[in-house]
């Protein structure tokens, strides 16, 4: 089931941090940004300590259940277990990604969904190559080298419609 889940789940493939839970709730430290300054030699800079906080990581269990008749297993046992295992793992992978990328409200039993960079298009509902470039540049510079596009299927449709002056797809 775990192998089938990992083939489907996108977040795990992107290197999600895995924390070993030692209790039902585990606090994860967070540290905000700092500001660097250029100052004259022997001058003190302006203090810019980061905001230090913590986020509670609460253990949750993703589950998938199905009932089958004894007859099914008696008639189809060699193939049934493989097929059911793959479907169960795939369902858990989809559940995991939906929580991370779309549906996680933070209210139990849901985890909080991941937030990305906010970008407002110049002309709503018209996505151009220029707008996609602006989106990329809206991501802070220190994150760009490892940045990846995580988009829902409806957003992917917009990206696939972005073309050059000859009508060729860009993405």
């Amino acid at each position: 089931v775990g192998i089938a889940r990992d083939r489907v789940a996108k977040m795990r493939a992107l290197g999600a941090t895995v924390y070993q839970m030692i209790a039902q709730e585990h606090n994860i430290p967070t540290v905000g940004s700092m500001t660097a300054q250029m100052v004259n030699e022997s001058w003190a800079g302006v203090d810019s300590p980061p905001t230090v906080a913590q986020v509670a990581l609460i253990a949750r269990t993703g589950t998938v259940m199905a009932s089958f008749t004894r007859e099914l297993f008696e008639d189809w046992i060699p193939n049934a277990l493989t097929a059911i295992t793959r479907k169960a793992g795939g369902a858990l992978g989809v559940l995991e990604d939906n929580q991370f990328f779309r549906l996680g409200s933070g209210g139990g039993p849901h985890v909080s969904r991941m937030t990305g960079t906010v970008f407002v298009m110049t002309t709503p509902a018209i996505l151009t190559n220029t707008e996609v470039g602006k989106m990329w540049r809206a991501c802070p510079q220190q994150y760009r080298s490892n940045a990846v596009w995580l988009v829902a299927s409806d957003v992917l449709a917009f990206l696939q419609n972005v073309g050059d002056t000859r009508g060729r797809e860009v993405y």
Side-chain angles (χ1 to χ4, degrees), residues 25 28 31-32 37 44-45 53 56 63 70 78 89-90 103 111 113-114 124 131 138 141 146 160 166 170:
E25 186 172 325
I28 307 299
V31 180
Q37 307 141 39
T63 184
R70 182 182 185 116
L103 306 174
V111 297
R113 74 173 168 257
M114 186 172 61
E131 292 294 326
Q141 182 268 337
N146 294 323
Q160 288 175 326
R166 295 183 181 179
V170 175

Side-chain angles (χ1 to χ4, degrees), residues 114-146:
M114 186 172 61
T115 56
T117 301
V118 176
F119 177 78
V120 179
M121 291 187 347
T122 306
T123 308
I126 298 175
L127 185 63
T128 64
N129 195 25
T130 302
E131 292 294 326
V132 174
K134 288 179 184 176
M135 266 194 238
W136 178 254
R137 291 185 299 277
C139 180
Q141 182 268 337
Q142 65 267 31
Y143 302 118
R144 286 187 202 152
S145 62
N146 294 323

Side-chain angles (χ1 to χ4, degrees), residues 2 29-30 45 47 52 60-61 66 84-85 88-89 93 98 102 113 120 135:
T30 61
D47 191 18
V52 178
R60 303 286 185 212
T61 300
I84 292 166
T85 301
N98 281 340
R102 229 181 164 140
R113 74 173 168 257
V120 179
M135 266 194 238

Side-chain angles (χ1 to χ4, degrees), residues 90-114:
L92 287 171
V94 169
L95 170 69
E96 198 173 89
D97 283 348
N98 281 340
Q99 290 290 305
F100 273 109
F101 299 130
R102 229 181 164 140
L103 306 174
S105 63
H110 303 290
V111 297
S112 295
R113 74 173 168 257
M114 186 172 61

